[in-house]
Amino acid sequence: MEIDIENMDAGYGTTKILQGIDLHLEGPGLTCIIGPNGVGKSTLIKCMNKLLTPTAGTVKVNGRDVKEMTRKEIAEIISYVPVQSDDVFAMPVFDTVLIGRANKGGWRTSSTDIIRVKKALEVLDLTEYADRPFNELSAGQHQTVAIARGLVQETEILILDEPTSNLDIRHQIFVTSLMHEIAVSRGIMVIMISHNLNIASMFADNVVLMEKPGRIKQVGPANDVITAENILEVYNVNCEVIQHQGRPVILLDQVLN
Amino acid sequence: MADGQTGGNDYVKRAAAIWTSEDDTESEESRAAVTAYRTSELRKLAFTFACVIAAVIVAGLSITYGSMDIGFLECYGIIWEHLTGHVKDITLDYIVVDERLPRIAAALITGAGLAIAGCVMQSVMKNPLADPYTTGISSGAGFGATLAITLGISLVGGNYSIVVNAFVFALIPMAIMLSVGKLKGASPTTMVMAGIAVMFIFNSFSTVLKLNADPDALAKLYSWTVGTVADCKWSEIPIMGVVVLAGIVLTQFFSRKLNILATGDDSAKAMGLDVENMRILLLLLISLVVATVVSFTGLIGFVGLVSPHVCRIFVGADNRYLVISSAMFGAVLLEVADFIGRTVIAPATLQVGVVTAFIGGPMFLYLILKQKKSSW
């Protein structure tokens, strides 16, 4: 599995968000994309599965230009968990997750579909909510259900847009570490946007640090990317970075004006 | 997410191991999960089946009522004799098959057509208030009928001048909406706003025409805009039936895609759905269905709005079950409304459109207040 982005520009209408993006991601593992608000992290992942068409450059998935691929072909390789899910006509949690299996078979739900959904709910501690309407859950639970829906698609690449933004600290750790474990044990590539640098540092195999205006500052292991200099330069935040269990940990100091 | 022990490495590894382990389809837990799901499927289908049974019973009751008394079971016998070509009493056969059955068939078909249109509209527009007329179909059809009735301007002459005008003009708002969708992107909000704009435009045209219309034309126009199935004939039933049946079959075919659409545009695209084209295709499909039925019956409100909501309470929001159950419930609802219209102030009759509004409104309010789970 491989995502290869070359000299890519992207934006919305006439507003340019990303410029000159070069990024190569390969093999199983967890990649965390970090960077300040508005830097283009969501824009970047939306270009990976053709939710957004770049204005320049190329995006290749497993060696094929996504421009040449149909949505169905991309969906067979990449699953995507958006930052928010619609819930106008809410289904029970079980059925909401089951939608993720829609591309796996015909009109009828198979026994395999049912078992995979049951497992996904169990993995994410959602079993007791299986019959609850989706719109009666908290924002954090919405996100976890959306992650379960992403998991049951069983693709080789899973992209998550801020999957932990509404979760408490314990569940942020749980979800991020679970994504790492699944990536490693299942042999898939998981790409997620994160704002919690310490948690990203704990579990990411690879960190992509983005900076304004819409550029990639550095890509690599957490120890190389999450440094006091980079944090100051990209976030405008003074901090001290110490080592804990072989990983960098940020101790915040003060925000610069 | 439940409050459990999270964060510990072993805990996470165990959770990941559940996911990566081979599926044991024979385990007791797996079998229980599959059985529970299959039971819930049967429960959903039972509601649809109950609607079909209700339709048959109400049809019998409706046939028995009229100037000549016919027994409840006798009417089914007469229909069976007609179908098998062994008619015993020509008079009874004529009363049941030629006089009373066409309006019942029209009510069933129209109710089913309006209900699936409402179901699709609400899912596609992601709007609980969307109904078959949100796309401006009613105002377009209304203007076409107004043109034929007040000025005698029609695309064809004769008995079908109003029908053809209503059908053609009902499709114009959709053509405008699709054009706007092509220019601005077929998002639900754009579609609803374009539909409302077109509705106001056509309504204003109709109002101008009504200003100089004579009283007879106004009375006829009023009758058409309220909606009735009383004037439907056997010659019209096949056209309505084929279009509505095709609409139900195709919508059912796309029902899983409707579920994907409900997750949001980005999510649906990521799951491989061509969102804009699917939305346009479905809207075009239901526009044809609605234009066909309203051109024969006039504007019958509320069935399209209320039927999917009632069915969501019983079968949930899964469109694979919602589409067919809405169609069956809509058919029964309109059939009951027509029966009430024929009997409640007999020998005078109330038009079915008036009855649907009378019973639909309070019923809808009652269900909103009564339901425990929030379905929208």
Side-chain angles (χ1 to χ4, degrees):
Chain A
M1 66 215 65
E2 188 184 17
I3 293 179
D4 203 14
I5 299 175
E6 272 180 31
N7 202 22
M8 184 189 77
D9 296 347
Y12 302 93
T14 53
T15 313
K16 203 173 187 179
I17 306 287
L18 299 174
Q19 41 192 299
I21 297 287
D22 287 307
L23 179 65
H24 181 78
L25 301 173
E26 196 179 341
L30 173 65
T31 297
C32 283
I33 301 176
I34 59 172
N37 291 333
V39 79
K41 299 182 293 298
S42 295
T43 308
L44 174 63
I45 60 170
K46 281 181 180 182
C47 291
M48 293 176 183
N49 62 350
K50 214 169 90 168
L51 288 181
L52 195 65
T53 307
T55 49
T58 56
V59 178
K60 288 182 181 171
V61 173
N62 291 349
R64 287 185 67 193
D65 192 330
V66 291
K67 264 191 218 161
E68 315 297 325
M69 296 169 77
T70 63
R71 289 212 177 282
K72 203 163 184 329
E73 283 173 329
I74 297 170
E76 279 162 11
I77 301 170
I78 302 175
S79 48
Y80 167 79
V81 177
V83 71
Q84 216 170 8
S85 295
D86 284 5
D87 63 347
V88 180
F89 299 113
M91 295 182 191
V93 166
F94 190 95
D95 291 354
T96 306
V97 176
L98 188 64
I99 294 174
R101 302 288 297 179
N103 289 329
K104 293 283 175 195
W107 185 88
R108 192 160 188 262
T109 305
S110 70
S111 298
T112 309
D113 293 337
I114 297 167
I115 293 166
R116 294 312 287 172
V117 171
K118 180 184 159 292
K119 269 189 172 183
L121 295 181
E122 202 179 335
V123 166
L124 287 154
D125 249 346
L126 288 165
T127 303
E128 65 180 286
Y129 301 100
D131 295 327
R132 275 257 204 110
F134 180 64
N135 59 352
E136 287 182 6
L137 303 184
S138 71
Q141 288 166 332
H142 274 189
Q143 283 189 315
T144 322
V145 172
I147 294 166
R149 193 170 60 208
L151 268 186
V152 298
Q153 290 172 53
E154 298 192 286
T155 51
E156 58 187 90
I157 300 171
L158 172 62
I159 297 176
L160 307 107
D161 192 349
E162 294 190 40
T164 58
S165 58
N166 289 311
L167 301 182
D168 61 49
I169 186 77
R170 190 169 63 175
H171 288 106
Q172 285 183 45
I173 294 170
F174 172 65
V175 165
T176 314
S177 60
L178 182 69
M179 289 302 108
H180 168 76
E181 279 299 328
I182 287 175
V184 172
S185 56
R186 193 91 178 170
I188 65 171
M189 182 192 286
V190 179
I191 301 165
M192 64 180 269
I193 294 174
S194 177
H195 281 297
N196 192 322
L197 306 192
N198 282 337
I199 294 177
S201 159
M202 278 167 77
F203 301 107
D205 301 293
N206 210 16
V207 176
V208 177
L209 175 64
M210 295 186 69
E211 65 175 351
K212 286 183 177 169
R215 283 194 301 250
I216 289 177
K217 168 94 177 150
Q218 196 176 344
V219 182
N223 271 320
D224 295 351
V225 177
I226 300 178
T227 62
E229 295 74 31
N230 275 346
I231 303 302
L232 178 63
E233 209 171 307
V234 172
Y235 288 94
N236 214 14
V237 170
N238 265 332
C239 69
E240 186 183 342
V241 175
I242 60 164
Q243 283 290 312
H244 176 65
Q245 295 178 345
R247 294 277 185 165
V249 175
I250 295 169
L251 304 176
L252 294 173
D253 190 358
Q254 65 178 78
V255 179
L256 297 183
N257 290 322
Chain B
M1 203 182 313
D3 281 339
Q5 184 199 352
T6 58
N9 275 347
D10 289 346
Y11 181 82
V12 174
K13 280 186 194 302
R14 270 202 306 276
I18 293 171
W19 185 243
T20 48
S21 64
E22 282 296 310
D23 292 341
D24 183 4
T25 51
E26 295 306 313
S27 76
E28 203 171 306
E29 270 188 16
S30 296
R31 275 198 228 163
V34 173
T35 306
Y37 189 80
R38 298 289 178 232
T39 308
S40 76
E41 280 182 321
L42 283 177
R43 211 168 35 239
K44 288 167 188 170
L45 289 173
F47 175 78
T48 308
F49 188 64
C51 290
V52 174
I53 300 288
V56 174
I57 293 170
V58 177
L61 286 172
S62 195
I63 290 170
T64 58
Y65 188 81
S67 53
M68 185 172 184
D69 281 344
I70 300 171
F72 178 68
L73 292 176
E74 190 186 0
C75 66
Y76 296 112
I78 294 166
I79 294 168
W80 178 251
E81 284 165 11
H82 183 89
L83 289 173
T84 54
H86 297 98
V87 176
K88 289 176 191 158
D89 187 326
I90 295 172
T91 311
L92 282 178
D93 180 75
Y94 176 79
I95 291 169
V96 171
V97 177
D98 291 322
E99 278 199 342
R100 296 184 188 174
L101 213 47
R103 71 182 296 162
I104 294 166
L108 287 169
I109 294 167
T110 305
L114 292 175
I116 57 155
C119 179
V120 171
M121 284 290 302
Q122 287 166 11
S123 293
V124 167
M125 301 291 196
K126 291 175 193 157
N127 188 333
L129 294 176
D131 78 350
Y133 303 133
T134 310
T135 50
I137 291 174
S138 62
S139 44
F143 176 70
T146 309
L147 210 56
I149 293 167
T150 59
L151 298 181
I153 298 171
S154 175
L155 298 163
V156 297
N159 293 337
Y160 286 100
S161 59
I162 299 172
V163 172
V164 173
N165 257 27
F167 178 79
V168 172
F169 280 90
L171 293 177
I172 292 175
M174 178 50 66
I176 295 171
M177 272 179 63
L178 295 185
S179 308
V180 172
K182 278 282 173 202
L183 288 173
K184 299 290 288 178
S187 74
T189 314
T190 308
M191 297 296 229
V192 169
M193 282 162 69
I196 290 170
V198 174
M199 183 181 78
F200 278 113
I201 293 167
F202 272 116
N203 283 350
S204 62
F205 286 161
S206 297
T207 306
V208 170
L209 290 181
K210 283 180 203 164
L211 288 175
N212 294 318
D214 63 65
D216 286 346
L218 279 178
K220 196 174 175 184
L221 191 58
Y222 169 77
S223 172
W224 190 87
T225 49
V226 173
T228 179
V229 289
D231 303 329
C232 289
K233 304 171 194 71
W234 271 127
S235 58
E236 296 158 355
I237 300 298
I239 305 169
M240 295 167 73
V242 166
V243 173
V244 171
L245 186 65
I248 294 172
V249 171
L250 287 170
T251 313
Q252 192 65 44
F253 178 74
F254 290 124
S255 57
R256 211 164 185 188
K257 295 197 184 323
L258 267 173
N259 284 348
I260 296 176
L261 204 55
T263 63
D265 281 13
D266 274 356
S267 175
K269 282 178 192 172
M271 278 193 256
L273 194 66
D274 189 341
V275 170
E276 277 89 7
N277 284 337
M278 180 52 61
R279 194 170 278 141
I280 286 169
L281 177 72
L282 287 166
L283 289 179
L284 199 58
L285 178 67
I286 60 117
S287 297
L288 280 171
V289 170
V290 177
T292 304
V293 295
V294 302
S295 62
F296 287 108
T297 63
L299 306 176
I300 298 170
F302 234 83
V303 178
L305 177 69
V306 80
S307 299
H309 284 304
V310 172
C311 292
R312 269 187 205 99
I313 292 167
F314 292 98
V315 305
D318 186 339
N319 286 288
R320 291 177 300 166
Y321 302 97
L322 185 63
V323 167
I324 189 68
S325 64
S326 295
M328 295 305 125
F329 183 82
V332 176
L333 183 62
L334 203 59
E335 197 185 16
V336 170
D338 184 50
F339 182 52
I340 292 172
R342 284 174 60 207
T343 54
V344 74
I345 55 164
T349 57
L350 263 180
Q351 286 178 303
V352 71
V354 178
V355 182
T356 54
F358 260 123
I359 62 171
M363 183 173 77
F364 197 23
L365 271 177
Y366 172 74
L367 288 167
I368 290 169
L369 294 171
K370 192 172 178 286
Q371 72 157 342
K372 289 181 185 130
K373 289 181 182 175
S374 52
S375 303
W376 63 88

